[in-house]
Amino acid sequence: MADVEFRKVRKAWGKVVGVADLDLSIRAGEFVSLLGPSGCGKTTTLRMLAGLEFPTSGEIRIGGRTVNDLAPGQRDIAMVFQSYALYPHMTVEENIAYPLKKRGVPRGERGPMVARVAEMLQLGPLLGRKPRELSGGQQQRVALGRALVRDPKVFLLDEPLSNLDAKLRGHMRAELVELHRRLGRTMVYVTHDQLEAMTMSDRIAILEGGVLQQFAPPQEVYREPANRFVAGFIGTPSMNLIDGQLAQTGGRWRFEAPGLALELPALPPGTPGGEACLGLRPEHIAFGSGPLEARVALVEETGHETIVVVELPGGLRLTGRTAPGMALRPGEALRIAPDAAQAHLFAAGPSGRRLNAPAAGPGRAAASVSVPASAAHAGEPS
Amino acid sequence: MPAPRPTALERQYARLGVLLIAPTVLVFCAVIVYPLVSAIYLSLFQIFTPTLQGSWVGLDNYRALLARGEFWTSLQNNLIWTVGTLTLQILFGVAMALVLHQNLWFRSLARSLILFPYFVSTVVAVLVWKWVFNDLYGILNHFMLTLGIIDWPIDYLGTMPNAMISIILVGAWKYFPFVVIAVLARLQTIPEALYEAARIDGAGPVARFFDITLPQLREVLVVIILLRAIWDFKEFDLIYLMTGGGPVIATQTLPLLVYKEAFAVNQMGMASAYAVVMMAIMLAFMIVYIRRTRERG
Ligand SMILES: Nc1ncnc2c1ncn2[C@@H]1O[C@H](COP(=O)(O)OP(=O)(O)OP(=O)(O)O)[C@@H](O)[C@H]1O
Ligand SMILES: [Mg+2]
């Protein structure tokens, strides 16, 4: 059953298009991330769902009910703002109790409800403080508490972790996933951080320029990017995207670019030849031996792996990753072996659609995404 | 533990500091401390203003002043005027600021127009209002008569309580733009997200005003009220020009009384005593003001 539904939703301010004809259907209890670069329309989408922004056209439904004409307070949603938006003159306790008070929950019932949330988020000792007396992480928890206290149908979160330091962010990520698992509520989570989206979501909606590019589970988005934009956007370091020519000779597909020629596995019938774009994840290039000649251009040691940029004779640059300890020096010549079975193929152009089927089996991709297995699975609806 | 001896550099900085604040301190002494001290000094004499000849009377002026009905009447008038005009200034001011904070197409024009009364010199404003209120030729009476609201012209400035009401209204008209500007400046700094959060939490427009706007305005309102209370308390020109303190002394406030003592009755010593008492009352306001601001800091 769809819990949240966007039907041909469009938002434009004059000539500026924030969101273009969005169709999105979110299942009850799902954790969905809206992911994309700055200005792609994530916040606009979330704010339309919250009722803080009105769609230019289209329909938004929550729990099967059209909410276009409902005020934010009537939509049975709760939202955590990027700036937290805590009421500065109220104590933590009053902040958390405020939505209850405004919905006419009797004073006597509010206490236990606030206490339950405070317990869940470990806010007990902070209840008497004002927001300005709290650290960023504590404020974030209070904002979360104010959203949780009411048990709404849908939770909306707009980059709630972006003001926290890296360590706390990692911690809160795990807490949010755990919270989602416990509450089993629908959550719509806006972020521009793909690690957050990959580790927390059941499904990720990737937006670019107000247009939905792909809506799929994290592993699928990684292994089977729907188009060239998603391919380049997901994954660090990003996928190598090589423009070249695709040709079929004697039933075999060949991709050619300056300094690079690859035999490809069979492509679906009807695939057009000519200009195309080949995508290769850094982990799908082996170093040391192979058919291609290259020269090391750049080496980056990150500690747990080494990022290597090599240059092919034609001037093409490829990024790869290897285990640390492989002594590579810039300028050094070496042989490389791209794994053609794992290659992605896209139509030409900046957002060319995918042409080939994904490689069979999890391959090396699953192992190399930095997704803690526990966190990824905890995100599935229970 | 004895404080460590200041180093040569620290002493040099200290000397530079003294040098830099010296001009300010000198000017402060010349224009504030000297008149203040001489007012207190003069209040201990009986002085004939034109000659400035006087004789020492000690605290007699103060004794006489506290025994005089005119002092208490003036103090009472002063309080009625201050509370009345200040209340109206705050109510008009906040209401107008809220209106101007909305996205109206004429907002920028309205914002400049609203400042008009504050910029007009008091003399000009009073002349205009005196014409409006004039009992024989005034436009107000003219309209009210034509519309049939009244049968006889009303004497707005020559009878009570009309005179007091008139000056309170003109005072509110003249000074409410100050409140508008200060409140508007604060309104613009309230994060929009607070209102959005409140809307999601189920607060309607009225609840949003009382739960978010008003608490956010509290601090600036305290400062405005204290500052305006001090300024309104010592208001002279507006009242003097409107009614001259009349009818009889019905709108005479303490500043008008000081002026009358000094330059009409020619008793500079007595006038100084009034001024000193007035200062003491304002000092009370000041102390509250300083307390409030320090608490916040
Ligand atoms: N009030 C507005 N008036 C005009 N254009 C707007 C308005 N709000 C947003 N936009 C435009 O709509 C587009 C999407 O904005 P949105 O805030 O949704 O981006 P975002 O994906 O949240 O970006 P970020 O990651 O930077 O927060 C942007 O191009 C932005 O300039
Ligand atoms: Mg945003």
Side-chain angles (χ1 to χ4, degrees):
Chain A
M1 185 197 107
D3 202 30
V4 172
E5 224 180 334
F6 288 84
R7 288 186 183 170
K8 287 259 162 294
V9 172
R10 179 183 173 79
K11 175 70 189 182
W13 294 270
K15 282 205 157 62
V16 183
V17 176
V19 172
D21 296 333
L22 178 69
D23 276 307
L24 197 68
S25 174
I26 298 170
R27 289 191 286 266
E30 210 173 9
F31 192 119
V32 166
S33 290
L34 303 179
L35 178 66
S38 195
C40 70
K42 308 179 293 285
T43 300
T44 307
T45 306
L46 198 72
R47 287 172 58 85
M48 284 193 291
L49 186 51
L52 298 172
E53 207 86 69
F54 297 105
T56 313
S57 62
E59 189 185 358
I60 299 174
R61 296 167 75 87
I62 296 176
R65 183 169 61 139
T66 303
V67 294
N68 285 43
D69 293 329
L70 290 186
Q74 303 169 322
R75 294 192 176 194
D76 202 13
I77 50 156
M79 182 158 166
V80 177
F81 290 76
Q82 180 171 359
S83 59
Y84 308 142
L86 299 177
Y87 308 123
H89 52 279
M90 299 185 198
T91 62
V92 168
E93 185 168 11
E94 288 163 345
N95 262 284
I96 297 178
Y98 189 73
L100 300 177
K101 191 168 144 193
K102 288 300 125 182
R103 283 184 163 72
V105 176
R107 189 181 291 272
E109 288 170 36
R110 285 181 228 155
M113 291 169 87
V114 172
R116 183 182 57 89
V117 170
E119 153 97 49
M120 187 156 64
L121 297 169
Q122 292 146 40
L123 288 170
L126 308 177
L127 284 179
R129 295 212 208 154
K130 295 275 175 70
R132 65 163 178 278
E133 298 160 353
L134 302 175
S135 73
Q138 291 167 334
Q139 290 183 24
Q140 203 269 344
R141 292 217 300 275
V142 176
L144 214 51
R146 190 174 59 185
L148 290 177
V149 75
R150 209 158 46 72
D151 196 23
K153 207 169 193 59
V154 184
F155 288 98
L156 311 180
L157 303 102
D158 190 1
E159 311 208 20
L161 305 187
S162 62
N163 290 338
L164 306 180
D165 67 59
K167 194 171 165 213
L168 194 56
R169 212 181 306 167
H171 175 71
M172 286 310 298
R173 220 159 52 209
E175 292 219 331
L176 275 177
V177 168
E178 165 66 13
L179 209 61
H180 173 248
R181 195 185 54 76
R182 243 193 304 168
L183 299 172
R185 288 279 177 230
T186 311
M187 294 197 177
V188 183
Y189 186 96
V190 163
T191 180
H192 61 252
D193 180 342
Q194 47 168 302
L195 184 63
E196 278 176 20
M198 293 294 279
T199 54
M200 300 167 74
S201 327
D202 295 319
R203 283 195 288 173
I204 304 177
I206 297 169
L207 294 163
E208 157 67 358
V211 178
L212 181 64
Q213 306 288 319
Q214 187 169 8
F215 184 38
Q219 289 302 315
E220 189 179 326
V221 163
Y222 189 84
R223 273 211 302 272
E224 200 180 337
N227 59 33
R228 181 177 171 157
F229 172 80
V230 176
F233 187 72
I234 298 286
T236 9
S238 346
M239 185 187 283
N240 296 291
L241 292 166
I242 308 154
D243 288 310
Q245 295 291 327
L246 185 64
Q248 192 179 23
T249 39
R252 316 206 109 214
W253 286 94
R254 244 177 103 77
F255 181 84
E256 281 184 16
L260 176 121
L262 272 184
E263 292 274 335
L264 296 175
L267 291 176
T271 307
E275 286 197 15
C277 170
L278 184 89
L280 261 181
R281 293 245 178 246
E283 57 267 29
H284 297 142
I285 299 174
F287 294 91
S289 63
L292 294 181
E293 283 223 26
R295 187 171 291 281
V296 177
L298 204 72
V299 179
E300 277 178 353
E301 296 273 0
T302 67
H304 70 286
E305 66 177 4
T306 304
I307 309 295
V308 189
V309 179
V310 296
E311 193 169 314
L312 301 182
L316 214 79
R317 287 190 162 207
L318 296 179
T319 306
R321 55 180 6 147
T322 69
M326 193 167 167
L328 290 172
R329 227 157 258 107
E332 198 176 312
L334 85 171
R335 305 198 70 83
I336 62 169
D339 183 353
Q342 300 288 348
H344 306 260
L345 209 57
F346 303 102
S351 55
R353 73 193 161 80
R354 181 178 191 87
L355 296 176
N356 62 341
R364 291 172 56 193
S368 46
V369 196
S370 29
V371 181
S374 57
H377 289 135
E380 275 159 28
S382 43
Chain B
M1 204 178 87
R5 261 176 63 83
T7 64
L9 190 60
E10 276 175 323
R11 281 199 302 274
Q12 197 186 327
Y13 279 164
R15 268 201 302 277
L16 181 66
V18 170
L19 208 64
L20 288 176
I21 62 166
T24 316
V25 172
L26 286 180
V27 171
F28 180 78
C29 288
V31 303
I32 309 264
V33 178
Y34 171 72
L36 191 68
V37 171
S38 56
I40 296 172
Y41 178 71
L42 289 178
S43 73
L44 304 175
F45 289 80
Q46 191 196 28
I47 302 168
F48 184 58
T49 311
T51 59
L52 288 180
Q53 298 296 307
S55 55
W56 170 267
V57 293
L59 294 176
D60 279 1
N61 282 338
Y62 291 96
R63 256 174 238 128
L65 157 173
L66 293 176
R68 249 198 229 178
E70 192 176 2
F71 167 76
W72 295 107
T73 310
S74 301
L75 178 59
Q76 190 189 345
N77 290 341
N78 213 339
L79 292 175
I80 293 172
W81 145 260
T82 304
V83 171
T85 197
L86 183 58
T87 311
L88 291 182
Q89 283 167 31
I90 299 289
L91 290 180
F92 283 159
V94 172
M96 190 55 84
L98 288 172
V99 170
L100 288 186
H101 187 54
Q102 305 303 311
N103 271 318
L104 306 167
W105 58 268
F106 58 92
R107 181 161 72 174
S108 47
L109 178 69
R111 278 187 190 175
S112 356
L113 283 182
I114 218 80
L115 278 176
F116 175 73
Y118 200 60
F119 286 152
V120 174
S121 98
T122 308
V123 181
V124 176
V126 168
L127 281 178
V128 171
W129 279 105
K130 278 183 90 157
W131 273 108
V132 172
F133 283 139
N134 189 294
D135 48 345
L136 296 180
Y137 328 103
I139 196 159
L140 188 58
N141 271 340
H142 174 74
F143 276 135
M144 303 250 278
L145 284 169
T146 336
L147 291 174
I149 299 170
I150 51 174
D151 297 328
W152 296 98
I154 293 177
D155 187 358
Y156 294 104
L157 298 172
T159 58
M160 280 301 277
N162 297 4
M164 182 57 94
I165 293 172
S166 298
I167 58 169
I168 284 177
L169 284 176
V170 174
W173 172 84
K174 180 97 181 65
Y175 295 116
F176 89 97
F178 175 81
V179 182
V180 175
I181 294 307
V183 170
L184 201 52
R186 182 69 186 89
L187 279 178
Q188 280 160 353
T189 64
I190 303 177
E192 190 56 32
L194 289 183
Y195 291 104
E196 296 182 341
R199 277 165 67 192
I200 288 177
D201 287 343
V206 178
R208 290 202 295 274
F209 175 75
F210 283 104
D211 293 341
I212 294 176
T213 311
L214 211 51
Q216 293 278 305
L217 288 182
R218 225 180 75 115
E219 277 167 39
V220 76
L221 280 181
V222 167
V223 172
I224 293 174
I225 288 173
L226 283 166
L227 280 179
R228 282 258 36 114
I230 292 167
W231 292 341
D232 289 337
F233 192 83
K234 67 186 182 60
E235 180 66 45
F236 174 78
D237 36 6
L238 192 147
I239 303 172
Y240 186 76
L241 293 167
M242 281 294 286
T243 64
V248 198
I249 59 164
T251 58
Q252 175 178 288
T253 56
L254 288 177
L256 271 72
L257 178 59
V258 172
Y259 178 81
K260 191 166 90 178
E261 253 336 283
F263 301 108
V265 188
N266 280 331
Q267 287 298 324
M268 191 57 100
M270 195 64 189
S272 299
Y274 280 127
V276 170
V277 170
M278 217 180 103
M279 193 188 66
I281 297 169
M282 301 213 331
L283 210 58
F285 283 115
M286 273 311 291
I287 289 168
V288 177
Y289 174 73
I290 290 167
R291 282 255 174 88
R292 292 300 303 219
T293 41
R294 202 190 301 145
E295 264 170 38
R296 302 285 143 191

